[in-house]
Amino acid sequence: MDQVLPIALISLLLGAAIALIFFKNYFLKRKSEIGSISEPGLHSDLHKKPPKPTHQSRKSHPKPHSHASSDKDHNKKHHPLDLNTLKGHGDSVTGLCFSYDGRSLATACEDGVVRVFKLDDASSKSFKFLRINVPAGGHPVAVAFSDDASSVVVASQTLSGSSLYMWGEEKVKATDDSKQQPKLPLPDIKWEHHKIHEKRAVLTLVGTASTYGSGDGSTIVASCSEGTDIKIWHGKTGKVLGNVDTNQLKNTMATISPNGRFIAAAAFTADVKVWEIVYSNDGSVKEVPKAMQLKGHKSAVTWLCFTPDSEQIITASKDGSIRIWNINVRYHLDEDPKTLKVFPIPLHDSNGATLHYDRLSLSPDGRILAATHGSMLQWLCVETGKVLDTADNAHNGDITWIAWAPKPLPAGDGQTFVLATASVDKKVKLWAAPPLKSS
């Protein structure tokens, strides 16, 4: 028994020693494996001088920021038409709209806020704005003014579908005795509708005054869904005035003529459908029958806009052309709209292939057509189709919406027509109209 105990003890010690050697070799191997994985990074660091990165990271940290801002300033100065940038948006700006007098600009942003900027001078260094928070769970995708600058209609997207809200504020009567202007109250929701296009999203929201025929001058708003339906709303009351269906698989956009007479829609096909809004003697909408169809493009129409007199439509297509149509025809007598002009889209990729325009907007005098492709902005002469000017990188991301102010705005010492552009880069930019080149 006395001999067995030392032998067992020696066996235990030998076993422990063998285990120690095994685990030591295992951990050394793992260490070498980890070292071999991190080695390329270490080698790349060895090419750099160790003190400099640390020194630069502290001293030059503000420099990239200032360098970026100087680049932005350089870009701003680089293009003579760039008037101003409206900052402060927390996410992509999805839509914008000018008030009828052009002195207010409403923006819809994916940060859940609608901002209404006061544009006393388009070249001002700062702008006052009203902040409207969209109800939780939704983000604004489009905005349109109602009867005046104190009321806005907003399309908001939620998981369950699209909602439409109208915010308005009570007008405060200023007394002659008061030297100080009274504070305007925050706007309240005057009406709201939910799931306006069932679960489908709103692509465009456009408003205009119903001044044609027996229209009473009140604002009508058209919401275009990503499906095939378009709804017409009364801006002040929120009442549904009419519905139309493009029956073209999928809508691209829709807009209303400036006088409130026509609705035109671009959809999946190459044809553009136009409806007339017929008003009753009391100013209400009687019906919205189909009026005409614009046929001539060989591929899908990407965007369209009316001329200021509501008698013509300008379309851009994936077939690489721009067409100007005369819609001032007696369609009741089966008179077809006529193509007045066809221009090639003056935009090509590196291989020479013609690109298409994403957005169009016509200046209030009907002479300059603004068009976008991605982050690029162009101004074209409507008379000749020639390019007046181009901003290759107007934004640091795709342009989501463009619109002209309906009237010239003060800009420094003078006045000019102003174009506003919104982008995914969280900015809204203001641009002066380019001079028309003499032929």
Side-chain angles (χ1 to χ4, degrees):
M1 189 73 181
D2 293 338
Q3 290 178 349
V4 173
L5 194 61
I7 291 169
L9 189 61
I10 291 167
S11 298
L12 281 170
L13 288 171
L14 281 171
I18 291 167
L20 273 171
I21 292 166
F22 173 78
F23 281 112
K24 182 180 179 184
N25 289 335
Y26 173 77
F27 284 116
L28 284 172
K29 187 178 178 183
R30 287 291 297 159
K31 187 177 180 183
S32 67
E33 285 174 357
I34 294 166
S36 67
I37 291 168
S38 61
E39 201 170 357
L42 292 172
H43 280 308
S44 63
D45 288 339
L46 287 173
H47 292 294
K48 301 174 186 176
K49 294 180 181 178
K52 280 197 173 180
T54 310
H55 180 66
Q56 285 181 349
S57 65
R58 287 184 182 179
K59 286 198 172 181
S60 67
H61 179 68
K63 285 185 182 177
H65 180 21
S66 61
H67 179 62
S69 61
S70 67
D71 279 349
K72 288 175 187 176
D73 292 338
H74 174 72
N75 288 336
K76 185 175 179 180
K77 292 174 185 175
H78 176 68
H79 205 286
L81 299 181
D82 192 343
L83 281 176
N84 223 324
T85 300
L86 305 184
K87 299 178 182 178
H89 297 91
D91 210 326
S92 299
V93 185
T94 52
L96 55 78
C97 177
F98 281 99
S99 59
Y100 293 120
D101 62 1
R103 294 304 182 95
S104 296
L105 176 65
T107 64
C109 182
E110 286 189 356
D111 62 5
V113 179
V114 171
R115 296 167 176 85
V116 182
F117 293 86
K118 300 299 180 185
L119 304 181
D120 295 324
D121 187 328
S123 62
S124 176
K125 290 184 179 178
S126 61
F127 299 92
K128 293 179 180 179
F129 67 91
L130 179 69
R131 180 188 176 101
I132 301 172
N133 294 314
V134 171
H139 63 271
V141 293
V143 61
F145 277 97
S146 188
D147 289 342
D148 53 42
S150 65
S151 53
V152 289
V153 180
V154 179
S156 175
Q157 184 64 34
T158 65
L159 291 174
S160 59
S162 297
S163 298
L164 208 59
Y165 300 92
M166 197 278 267
W167 273 272
E169 50 187 36
E170 300 297 331
K171 291 181 180 178
V172 179
K173 292 181 180 178
T175 58
D176 297 333
D177 300 332
S178 59
K179 293 181 181 178
Q180 195 172 1
Q181 196 174 3
K183 267 191 175 182
L184 289 173
L186 289 174
D188 296 323
I189 296 175
K190 300 300 181 184
W191 56 259
E192 60 186 284
H193 295 283
H194 304 286
K195 295 184 180 180
I196 58 172
H197 296 288
E198 295 179 354
K199 289 191 175 182
R200 294 182 292 274
V202 170
L203 297 178
T204 57
L205 187 74
V206 181
T208 193
S210 54
T211 58
Y212 179 78
S214 55
D216 59 8
S218 59
T219 297
I220 54 173
V221 178
S223 62
C224 174
S225 84
E226 62 182 350
T228 62
D229 58 322
I230 300 166
K231 284 190 176 182
I232 307 164
W233 310 81
H234 192 275
K236 189 173 183 180
T237 65
K239 181 184 176 183
V240 178
L241 301 177
N243 296 270
V244 296
D245 197 313
T246 59
N247 293 311
Q248 290 180 310
L249 295 179
K250 188 177 180 182
N251 293 336
T252 300
M253 56 81 64
T255 189
I256 313 177
S257 62
N259 63 2
R261 181 185 181 187
F262 294 115
I263 291 181
F268 186 76
T269 69
D271 298 339
V272 170
K273 291 185 178 181
V274 182
W275 297 263
E276 182 177 9
I277 303 172
V278 180
Y279 298 93
S280 301
N281 291 331
D282 61 357
S284 61
V285 173
K286 183 180 178 182
E287 58 179 340
V288 191
K290 184 181 173 184
M292 64 192 85
Q293 199 158 331
L294 309 183
K295 295 183 177 183
H297 283 295
K298 296 175 182 177
S299 190
V301 172
T302 57
W303 210 263
L304 63 87
C305 59
F306 284 90
T307 53
D309 60 8
S310 301
E311 294 184 357
Q312 297 174 11
I313 291 178
I314 301 177
T315 56
S317 168
K318 288 183 179 179
D319 64 12
S321 71
I322 299 168
R323 285 178 177 257
I324 302 178
W325 309 78
N326 176 27
I327 61 168
N328 186 24
V329 296
R330 294 171 297 178
Y331 72 89
H332 301 95
L333 302 176
D334 294 328
E335 187 178 347
D336 293 327
K338 298 174 179 63
T339 301
L340 300 176
K341 293 179 183 178
V342 181
F343 299 126
I345 292 178
L347 194 62
H348 303 86
D349 63 14
S350 56
N351 297 321
T354 302
L355 300 173
H356 66 268
Y357 284 136
D358 302 323
R359 303 276 188 278
L360 299 177
S361 185
L362 189 60
S363 62
D365 61 0
R367 303 173 72 190
I368 300 172
L369 181 68
T372 69
H373 176 84
S375 62
M376 185 225 63
L377 174 63
Q378 277 190 334
W379 294 264
L380 307 178
C381 174
V382 174
E383 183 64 30
T384 63
K386 302 294 184 185
V387 177
L388 298 172
D389 215 326
T390 301
D392 289 319
N393 292 296
H395 283 269
N396 296 322
D398 287 350
I399 296 170
T400 56
W401 199 266
I402 58 173
W404 288 90
K407 297 178 181 178
L409 296 181
D413 297 330
Q415 286 198 337
T416 183
F417 285 120
V418 173
L419 177 75
T421 57
S423 170
V424 297
D425 67 359
K426 307 179 185 179
K427 292 175 186 173
V428 170
K429 284 194 172 186
L430 303 179
W431 307 82
L436 286 163
K437 296 172 184 176
S438 56
S439 54

